[in-house]
Amino acid sequence: MTTPAKVPDKVNVALVQMTCSTVKQENVDKAVARIAEAAQLGANIVCLQELFAGQYPCQEEDHLKFQEAEPIPGATSQAIQAAAAQHGVVVVASLFEKRAEGLYHNTAAIFDADGTQLGIYRKMHIPDDPHYYEKFYFTPGDLGFRSFQTKYGRIGVCICWDQWFPEAARLTALTGAQMLFYPTAIGWLVDEKEEYGPAQVSAWETMMRSHSIANGVFVCAPNRVGLEGTIEFWGHSFVSDPNGNLLKVGSHDQEEILLVECNLAQIDFARTHWPFLRDRRVDAYSGLTKLYLDEGAH
């Protein structure tokens, strides 16, 4: 019986923040090149932004957009898988998945450092807001909240809108995840940026930093940049540690690779000094399985 290789305490995470064109192959080639660059910089884990292979498709309800979807495995996932194997890095890649005719998901594929596909996560929370018409395109995930044992630690993956739900972070952390990755495509509506922009970014960042604190994990969120239609994607990719400290933050308007060292030994230290998992009252949380606790309900 072979003994599993010990995961190093210090792991270098790279978040790829990039613009996307209307030409799919250009985006895939750029992502592959960024994975290579991140590996050269010393990355162990590379996470791409949400739906990196194209411009964000959900600003309008357009049946032609379904043509952009692919099965997994498919040409795009196989290109990323090959890059993971070639450069010896774990890769998280968010894809527009065609599961069957008429059945599509917003899905992240997770590849280990030898190129093995460890599994997929299908986005569970699907928004339907102005210019984010995802319910038209994506069926909610049916795999639950998951984590994956990689060469460089156990990682959990959620996607964009999932980041607003503490239940998603908690359940993913409870599967043993040491790092939570949130591939993201979020931005300002151009005519709202001046009034609401700073508050929107602050809320987005604060929500995920709270997941770090409540669960004693690293949170890693890569977001795209650039103007696409009426959305100016705000970048601001970041990594926070188990105490919620920001370790590195990206710009609002530049393509870049954020390389961040994460010391996994911090997780046990944080969880023994702030023992939130120890003190959970799981016997008292049955109400969380209900949509709302109407007045007088018991």
Side-chain angles (χ1 to χ4, degrees):
M1 180 176 176
T2 59
T3 301
K6 185 181 184 299
V7 173
D9 282 339
K10 295 183 178 180
V11 174
N12 291 328
V13 170
L15 305 184
V16 176
Q17 174 173 299
M18 69 185 207
T19 61
C20 292
S21 77
T22 58
V23 181
K24 185 175 189 176
Q25 193 59 50
E26 290 180 357
N27 300 318
V28 175
D29 291 345
K30 181 189 285 189
V32 168
R34 294 293 190 273
I35 292 169
E37 184 179 347
Q40 288 182 330
L41 293 171
N44 305 122
I45 303 174
V46 181
C47 187
L48 304 171
Q49 64 207 30
E50 184 183 19
L51 301 173
F52 70 90
Q55 294 199 334
Y56 180 69
C58 306
Q59 293 200 52
E60 57 188 359
E61 296 183 352
D62 181 356
H63 287 88
L64 293 177
K65 297 286 188 183
F66 288 106
Q67 297 175 12
E68 299 176 12
E70 295 181 29
I72 300 173
T76 299
S77 67
Q78 288 169 336
I80 300 302
Q81 183 174 25
Q86 179 182 354
H87 301 291
V89 291
V90 175
V91 180
V92 178
S94 168
L95 303 159
F96 189 173
E97 179 194 6
K98 181 177 182 179
R99 184 175 180 181
E101 284 74 10
L103 188 59
Y104 297 80
H105 295 281
N106 188 335
T107 300
I110 297 86
F111 302 103
D112 210 348
D114 62 358
T116 300
Q117 182 175 317
L118 297 175
I120 60 174
Y121 165 78
R122 292 182 174 130
K123 187 173 182 177
M124 294 284 281
H125 300 93
I126 310 297
D128 186 45
D129 291 312
H131 303 278
Y132 295 89
Y133 300 114
E134 293 198 17
K135 280 187 166 63
F136 178 80
Y137 295 95
F138 305 128
T139 300
D142 58 348
L143 298 175
F145 300 103
R146 322 181 73 190
S147 62
F148 307 86
Q149 184 60 54
T150 77
K151 180 179 179 180
Y152 296 107
R154 191 165 190 90
I155 67 173
V157 181
C158 292
I159 301 173
C160 202
W161 194 236
D162 290 326
Q163 63 209 184
W164 298 97
F165 296 85
E167 301 90 343
R170 175 72 87 207
L171 287 169
T172 306
L174 289 177
T175 69
Q178 297 167 295
M179 293 171 273
L180 302 184
F181 286 85
Y182 289 95
T184 297
I186 192 170
W188 298 294
L189 298 182
V190 173
D191 59 357
E192 294 181 359
K193 178 182 176 181
E194 184 175 354
E195 182 174 0
Y196 300 112
Q200 288 172 335
V201 175
S202 177
W204 176 76
E205 178 193 289
T206 301
M207 192 72 207
M208 284 183 282
R209 290 173 69 184
S210 76
H211 299 331
S212 281
I213 298 166
N215 296 290
V217 294
F218 291 87
V219 166
C220 313
N223 186 28
R224 67 175 65 203
V225 289
L227 182 65
E228 299 178 17
T230 59
I231 300 178
E232 180 185 345
F233 291 96
W234 67 46
H236 199 79
S237 303
F238 71 88
V239 175
S240 57
D241 73 10
N243 291 314
N245 298 307
L246 289 172
L247 300 182
K248 187 171 281 190
V249 180
S251 69
H252 282 305
D253 57 2
Q254 300 295 315
E255 294 187 299
E256 56 190 300
I257 296 173
L258 273 69
L259 185 69
V260 183
E261 182 183 87
C262 299
N263 184 356
L264 302 184
Q266 285 184 254
I267 295 170
D268 189 59
F269 184 87
R271 288 180 176 181
T272 52
H273 285 74
W274 280 351
F276 303 133
L277 295 185
R278 182 196 70 188
D279 294 340
R280 295 178 66 235
R281 285 293 307 276
V282 296
D283 58 313
Y285 298 157
S286 61
L288 289 175
T289 64
K290 302 182 184 301
L291 184 62
Y292 187 76
L293 300 180
D294 296 293
E295 186 176 357
H298 296 284

